[in-house]
Amino acid sequence: MSFSHLSHLECGRCGAVHAADRPQNLCRRCGSPLLARYDLAAVRAAVRPADLAGRRSDLWRYHELLPVGRGDAVVTLGEGMTPLLPMPRYGARIGLPGLLMKDEGLVPTGSFKARGAAVGVSRAAELGIKRLAMPTNGNAGAAWSVYGARAGLTTTVVMPADAPEITRRECAAAGADLTVVDGLISDAGRMVGELVAREDGEVFDASTLKEPYRIEGKKTMGLEIVEQLGWRTPDVIIYPTGGGVGLIGIHKALTELAELGWISGPPPRLVAVQAAGCAPIVRAFERGERHSEFWSGATTVAFGINVPRPLGDFLILDALAATSGTAISVTDEELLADLRAVAALEGAFVCPEGAAAFTAARKLRESGWLAEDDEVVVLNTGAGLKYPQTVAVDVEVVPAPDPA
């Protein structure tokens, strides 16, 4: 039995077919991201949803729909199968009693980026790649550094100086070659591009959507949501969107499951959430455009979604259109208030990006876009503990009592 039923790579824009048995970056015809395609008939013949119940409780339970060709090539730290938690008190406050949270703060490295790193690094090592390079807003660099170390690969990471401090330390602890730049992720991306060109084949560019397998790890969030709901879909999935790989991946997962016949009916409406200080996808969506424009002066406390122009913008916008979804921006003040509200009401210390998704749920319910009886899944993409500066603490230090 095949461990993977990966068939080929396909350009997300022009449809050009590329071989999957060698390292690939962007489409050689049009320069767009490549997407992994599978022999779904073979998957359907090999496995049924019921067969998954007895498998390992991590994302590799879906190995037929993942690109790694051999079980012994898997690089893992136990990532995946994060809980899908009811949020009754916050849900009641905002008028969504069916509100659920998929909590990605519980995966290795503390963010959903571990999913993409596990699959991307596993496939890179399987294809013989020895050195990876990538720009990052923090969490992705930390995850790829850790998984790269576990696979015995060298990882070069370039991150903005404003990225969360803990992610810089994660990279250093894992022995990554780390550069910090006084700029945005777009500046870090240019530095990585220059390095890859200069090294001429010795360094593989693992930037967001410039390699085709990170998205495969991220799509397992969608696979898990459906399995955790008993092989059915919720009404709405709300996702904080920077580079958008998670949202694209969830949409890809839902499409594959529908083609397999494992789910039926209309897909969940997908919601892309951005910060008011960096909202290129929201602006493009509101204008009815298929591409975004560079967002000048991008800034937000939700640093993981501070991406001025995502490479996969058209894939994000296509996913919203295909699911009758929407895009919405929230202010830093709003998301920080909801971060504290979720923690106080539910005991969940979410990351600022996750808080933005909760704010979006609240605002969409207020506007009537969400109905009271909608089953809504909010993605919390990381642990709030990685962003301690989001909660101010002004408490008096009292003297210790005198010894008895």
Side-chain angles (χ1 to χ4, degrees), residues 9 18-26 28 34 123-130 201 203-205 210-213:
L9 300 173
H18 297 258
D21 61 354
R22 68 199 69 165
Q24 301 275 15
N25 285 118
L26 298 175
R28 292 186 297 277
L34 300 178
R123 186 60 175 157
E126 188 176 40
L127 291 173
I129 293 169
K130 302 299 184 185
V203 181
F204 183 76
D205 191 342
K210 287 189 177 179
E211 64 83 43
Y213 300 117

Coordinates of all heavy atoms in Angstrom, one line a residue, residues 9 18-26 28 34 123-130 201 203-205 210-213:
L9 N 2.5 18.1 -9.5 CA 2.3 19.4 -9.0 C 1.6 20.2 -10.1 O 1.9 20.0 -11.3 CB 3.6 20.1 -8.7 CG 4.4 19.4 -7.5 CD1 5.8 20.1 -7.4 CD2 3.6 19.5 -6.2
H18 N 3.8 20.0 -13.3 CA 5.2 19.9 -13.0 C 5.4 18.6 -12.2 O 4.5 18.1 -11.5 CB 5.6 21.1 -12.1 CG 5.5 22.4 -12.8 ND1 6.6 23.0 -13.3 CD2 4.5 23.2 -13.0 CE1 6.2 24.2 -13.8 NE2 4.9 24.3 -13.7
A19 N 6.6 18.0 -12.4 CA 6.9 16.8 -11.7 C 7.1 17.0 -10.2 O 7.6 18.0 -9.8 CB 8.2 16.2 -12.3
A20 N 6.6 16.0 -9.5 CA 6.7 16.0 -8.0 C 7.9 15.3 -7.4 O 8.0 15.2 -6.2 CB 5.4 15.5 -7.4
D21 N 8.7 14.7 -8.3 CA 9.8 13.8 -7.8 C 11.1 14.6 -7.7 O 12.2 13.9 -7.6 CB 9.9 12.6 -8.7 CG 10.3 12.9 -10.1 OD1 10.3 14.2 -10.5 OD2 10.5 12.0 -10.9
R22 N 11.1 15.9 -7.8 CA 12.3 16.7 -7.6 C 11.9 18.0 -7.0 O 10.8 18.4 -6.9 CB 12.9 17.0 -9.0 CG 12.0 17.9 -9.9 CD 12.4 17.7 -11.4 NE 12.0 16.4 -11.9 CZ 11.9 16.1 -13.2 NH1 12.2 17.0 -14.1 NH2 11.5 14.9 -13.6
P23 N 12.9 18.7 -6.4 CA 12.6 20.0 -5.8 C 12.0 21.0 -6.8 O 12.5 21.1 -7.9 CB 14.0 20.5 -5.2 CG 14.7 19.2 -5.0 CD 14.3 18.3 -6.2
Q24 N 11.0 21.7 -6.4 CA 10.3 22.7 -7.2 C 10.0 23.9 -6.4 O 9.7 23.8 -5.2 CB 9.0 22.1 -7.8 CG 9.1 20.8 -8.6 CD 9.5 21.1 -10.1 OE1 9.9 22.2 -10.4 NE2 9.3 20.1 -10.9
N25 N 10.1 25.0 -7.1 CA 9.6 26.3 -6.5 C 8.4 26.8 -7.2 O 7.4 26.1 -7.2 CB 10.7 27.3 -6.5 CG 11.8 27.1 -5.4 OD1 13.0 26.8 -5.7 ND2 11.4 27.1 -4.2
L26 N 8.4 27.9 -7.9 CA 7.3 28.4 -8.6 C 7.1 27.9 -10.0 O 8.1 27.3 -10.5 CB 7.4 30.0 -8.6 CG 7.4 30.7 -7.3 CD1 7.6 32.2 -7.5 CD2 6.1 30.4 -6.5
R28 N 7.3 27.3 -13.7 CA 8.3 27.8 -14.7 C 7.6 28.6 -15.8 O 8.3 29.3 -16.5 CB 9.1 26.7 -15.2 CG 10.0 26.1 -14.1 CD 10.9 25.0 -14.7 NE 10.2 23.9 -15.3 CZ 9.8 22.9 -14.5 NH1 10.0 22.8 -13.2 NH2 9.1 21.9 -15.1
L34 N 2.8 26.5 -6.9 CA 2.4 25.1 -7.3 C 1.6 24.4 -6.2 O 1.9 24.6 -5.0 CB 3.6 24.3 -7.7 CG 4.5 24.8 -8.8 CD1 5.7 23.9 -9.0 CD2 3.7 25.0 -10.1
R123 N 9.4 16.5 3.4 CA 9.5 16.3 1.9 C 10.8 16.9 1.4 O 11.4 16.3 0.5 CB 8.3 17.0 1.2 CG 8.2 16.8 -0.3 CD 8.1 15.3 -0.6 NE 7.9 15.2 -2.1 CZ 8.2 14.0 -2.7 NH1 8.6 13.0 -2.1 NH2 8.0 14.0 -4.0
A124 N 11.3 18.0 1.9 CA 12.6 18.5 1.5 C 13.7 17.5 1.7 O 14.5 17.3 0.9 CB 12.8 19.9 2.2
A125 N 13.7 17.0 2.9 CA 14.7 16.0 3.2 C 14.6 14.8 2.3 O 15.6 14.2 1.9 CB 14.6 15.6 4.7
E126 N 13.4 14.3 2.1 CA 13.2 13.2 1.2 C 13.7 13.4 -0.2 O 14.2 12.5 -0.9 CB 11.7 12.8 1.2 CG 11.4 11.5 0.5 CD 9.9 11.2 0.6 OE1 9.0 12.1 0.5 OE2 9.6 10.0 0.8
L127 N 13.6 14.7 -0.7 CA 14.1 15.0 -2.0 C 15.5 15.4 -2.1 O 16.1 15.7 -3.1 CB 13.2 16.2 -2.5 CG 11.8 15.9 -2.9 CD1 11.0 17.2 -3.2 CD2 11.6 14.8 -4.0
G128 N 16.2 15.2 -0.9 CA 17.7 15.4 -0.9 C 18.1 16.8 -0.7 O 19.3 17.2 -0.8
I129 N 17.3 17.7 -0.3 CA 17.6 19.1 0.0 C 18.4 19.2 1.3 O 18.0 18.5 2.3 CB 16.4 20.0 0.1 CG1 15.7 20.1 -1.3 CG2 16.7 21.4 0.6 CD1 14.4 20.8 -1.3
K130 N 19.5 19.9 1.4 CA 20.3 20.0 2.6 C 20.2 21.3 3.3 O 20.5 21.4 4.5 CB 21.8 19.8 2.2 CG 22.1 18.5 1.4 CD 21.7 17.3 2.3 CE 22.1 16.0 1.6 NZ 21.7 14.8 2.4
G201 N 21.7 27.2 -6.4 CA 21.4 25.8 -6.2 C 21.8 25.2 -4.9 O 21.4 24.0 -4.7
V203 N 21.1 26.5 -1.9 CA 20.1 26.8 -0.9 C 18.7 26.7 -1.6 O 18.5 27.3 -2.6 CB 20.4 28.2 -0.4 CG1 19.3 28.5 0.7 CG2 21.8 28.4 0.2
F204 N 17.8 26.1 -0.9 CA 16.5 25.9 -1.4 C 15.6 27.0 -0.8 O 15.5 27.1 0.4 CB 15.9 24.5 -1.1 CG 14.5 24.3 -1.7 CD1 14.3 24.1 -3.1 CD2 13.4 24.4 -0.9 CE1 13.1 23.9 -3.6 CE2 12.1 24.2 -1.4 CZ 12.0 23.9 -2.8
D205 N 14.8 27.7 -1.6 CA 14.0 28.8 -1.1 C 12.7 28.2 -0.6 O 11.8 27.7 -1.4 CB 13.6 29.8 -2.3 CG 13.0 31.0 -1.8 OD1 12.4 31.0 -0.7 OD2 13.0 32.0 -2.6
K210 N 6.4 29.5 -2.1 CA 7.5 29.3 -3.1 C 8.0 27.9 -3.1 O 8.8 27.5 -3.9 CB 8.6 30.3 -2.9 CG 8.3 31.7 -3.3 CD 9.5 32.7 -3.3 CE 9.1 34.1 -3.7 NZ 10.3 35.0 -3.7
E211 N 7.5 27.1 -2.2 CA 7.6 25.7 -2.2 C 6.2 25.1 -2.0 O 5.4 25.7 -1.4 CB 8.6 25.1 -1.2 CG 8.3 25.4 0.2 CD 7.3 24.3 0.8 OE1 7.6 23.1 0.5 OE2 6.4 24.7 1.5
P212 N 5.9 23.9 -2.6 CA 4.5 23.5 -2.7 C 4.0 22.6 -1.5 O 2.8 22.2 -1.6 CB 4.5 22.6 -4.0 CG 5.9 22.1 -4.1 CD 6.8 23.1 -3.5
Y213 N 4.8 22.4 -0.5 CA 4.4 21.4 0.5 C 4.0 22.0 1.9 O 3.4 21.3 2.7 CB 5.5 20.3 0.6 CG 5.8 19.7 -0.7 CD1 7.0 19.8 -1.3 CD2 4.7 19.0 -1.3 CE1 7.2 19.1 -2.6 CE2 5.0 18.4 -2.6 CZ 6.2 18.5 -3.2 OH 6.4 17.9 -4.4

